[in-house]
């Protein structure tokens, strides 16, 4: 896995529970304004997807108690948004600027390092 993608996963999954919950809500809001199409554009190879999914799952699994204490099932809510955003980082050169921004601006606003396209 590319270093920028690994760093993004590490930082995004380490955000405080309140920040992760806010990101989840932001992603739901953005689905209708380009988020759904942008998410579909983040296709990666099977091996890349497996590595991303495993890294996100492992990082969030370690925090299950903390995340669920904040809001039940928060880990399950944020796993897909962290994985989609990580795939966007992985395939950033193939996404349009708008697609990249709709998926990653919320993470950048939360303090996660987002590499340039």
């Amino acid at each position: 896995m590319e270093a920028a993608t690994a760093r993004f996963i590490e930082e995004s999954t380490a955000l405080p529970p309140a920040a992760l919950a806010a990101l989840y809500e932001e992603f739901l809001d953005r689905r209708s304004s380009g988020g759904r199409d942008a998410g579909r554009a983040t296709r990666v190879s099977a091996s890349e997807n497996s590595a991303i999914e495993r890294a996100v799952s492992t990082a969030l699994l370690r925090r299950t108690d903390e995340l669920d204490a904040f809001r039940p099932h928060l880990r399950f809510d944020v796993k897909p948004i962290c994985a989609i955003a990580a795939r966007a980082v992985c395939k950033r050169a193939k996404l349009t600027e708008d697609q990249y921004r709709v998926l990653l601006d919320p993470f950048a606003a939360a303090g996660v390092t987002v590499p340039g396209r």
Side-chain angles (χ1 to χ4, degrees), residues 18-84:
L20 287 169
L23 280 169
Y24 175 72
E25 298 303 323
E26 178 76 17
F27 258 71
L28 292 180
D29 291 344
R30 288 175 175 245
R31 287 182 63 83
S32 63
S33 61
R36 179 174 289 147
D37 291 335
R40 288 185 189 132
T42 64
R43 294 181 195 263
V44 295
S45 72
S47 62
E48 289 169 321
N49 190 60
S50 179
I52 288 168
E53 291 286 332
R54 189 175 335 108
V56 169
S57 291
T58 300
L60 292 173
L61 183 62
R62 290 185 203 122
R63 300 183 62 201
T64 299
D65 293 340
E66 174 192 8
L67 297 174
D68 286 351
F70 181 80
R71 186 172 91 197
H73 310 292
L74 181 58
R75 176 174 65 101
F76 296 109
D77 290 343
V78 299
K79 181 185 173 286
I81 66 166
C82 290
I84 290 167

